[in-house]
Amino acid sequence: MSSIRCMGCMQEYEDSFEICPQCGYGRNTEAKEDFHLSPGTILNNKYIVGRSLGCGKNGITYLGWDAILETKVAIKEYFPQDLATRLKNESEVSTYDGERKAKYENGLESFLNAGINLAKFNYIESIVHIFDSFSANNTGYVIMEYLEGESVLDIINKQGKKSLQDTFNIVAPILNALSVLHDNGVIHGNICPNNILIVNGSPKLIDFNFELHSNYDNKKIVVTKGYSPIESYR
């Protein structure tokens, strides 16, 4: 009996099932939004796109599978919704003409460069690692480490406030990583408890704000209430 790979969790199961027995994801489930890539789309002849994990104004993140290394990955797609569009079940991104097209192309270049630059710091254990960055479908993709863990925010909501020592154990590795990144001109852009995962007991800073680097008008500031620096509010 043959098997298929679930686009919801990337585990294999017998093709006689219509629903993944591991996660309950239906094998014919469509993309969450019409402009998202369809589950099962193949990128760069090696990355299989699964369900979407999140969508912001300027990008979409998908669960993915590296068919060469046989491992889960996270796939970040450049997709500024006010500058581009995509038809349902299509892969190619369409852009508007004139000034918006120029803004889109400038943002795409910056997005890809940001992924390439961040990959230089994969030796830092406390940040998400970048594996690949490439153009396809008239847009760009950054392939990242897929991390399974709980956010600091979720842990605090379940367990209450952390002790001073526990807080130090979380914050110190992140600050050490940021020191190196900032010295090299790399800015995260949205540090908050929701963007720090505890993976096997260790903190990992995730969700690097590629939109900050790919921002086409250089005026966008990401503000997370209670955590952004005061100058961001101004």
Side-chain angles (χ1 to χ4, degrees):
M1 186 172 292
S2 60
S3 62
I4 62 173
R5 189 167 302 282
C6 173
M7 295 295 101
C9 66
M10 292 301 166
Q11 299 298 313
E12 287 188 325
Y13 64 93
E14 293 181 1
D15 65 359
S16 59
F17 293 98
E18 291 297 321
I19 295 176
C20 174
Q22 280 101 337
C23 73
Y25 188 86
R27 61 189 294 180
N28 295 317
T29 301
E30 296 186 347
K32 188 177 294 185
E33 300 287 350
D34 286 350
F35 59 87
H36 290 184
L37 287 172
S38 299
T41 300
I42 298 176
L43 300 173
N44 217 25
N45 296 317
K46 64 182 293 190
Y47 302 113
I48 303 173
V49 176
R51 64 182 174 88
S52 61
L53 300 174
C55 179
K57 181 181 177 182
N58 292 307
I60 309 167
T61 303
Y62 306 91
L63 174 64
W65 180 258
D66 185 329
I68 304 299
L69 298 181
E70 297 190 334
T71 187
K72 289 182 185 180
V73 293
I75 301 172
K76 181 86 169 185
E77 180 181 46
Y78 175 67
F79 194 89
Q81 296 182 38
D82 54 347
L83 300 179
T85 187
R86 177 163 47 210
L87 297 176
K88 183 177 181 180
N89 297 324
E90 296 288 338
S91 298
E92 193 82 3
V93 172
S94 299
T95 58
Y96 302 100
D97 293 330
E99 183 181 354
R100 283 196 286 181
K101 182 175 183 179
K103 289 179 178 180
Y104 177 88
E105 291 174 348
N106 289 337
L108 173 58
E109 181 180 4
S110 298
F111 174 88
L112 292 170
N113 287 339
I116 293 170
N117 193 31
L118 190 59
K120 300 174 184 176
F121 303 96
N122 281 354
Y123 62 89
I124 301 176
E125 288 299 322
S126 52
I127 66 172
V128 63
H129 293 169
I130 306 299
F131 301 138
D132 203 355
S133 180
F134 59 90
S135 298
N137 300 326
N138 195 35
T139 186
Y141 300 90
V142 173
I143 309 300
M144 301 177 289
E145 179 182 21
Y146 178 75
L147 298 170
E148 297 184 86
E150 278 193 294
S151 73
V152 170
L153 180 62
D154 287 341
I155 293 173
I156 292 173
N157 287 338
K158 290 179 181 178
Q159 303 176 3
K161 294 180 179 179
K162 308 298 289 183
S163 68
L164 178 61
Q165 185 60 52
D166 286 343
T167 302
F168 179 83
N169 292 340
I170 294 171
V171 173
I174 301 298
L175 291 179
N176 289 336
L178 290 173
S179 178
V180 176
L181 295 174
H182 289 178
D183 285 346
N184 288 274
V186 178
I187 298 174
H188 181 279
N190 190 20
I191 299 170
C192 60
N194 200 42
N195 285 336
I196 300 174
L197 287 187
I198 303 302
V199 182
N200 297 323
S202 299
K204 278 270 197 178
L205 184 61
I206 64 168
D207 200 23
F208 275 78
N209 187 18
F210 290 100
E211 289 81 4
L212 184 68
H213 300 277
S214 64
N215 179 33
Y216 41 82
D217 60 12
N218 294 318
K219 295 179 181 178
K220 179 185 176 186
I221 298 293
V222 176
V223 174
T224 299
K225 186 177 180 180
Y227 297 100
S228 297
I230 192 169
E231 60 268 23
S232 295
Y233 293 87
R234 294 198 296 265

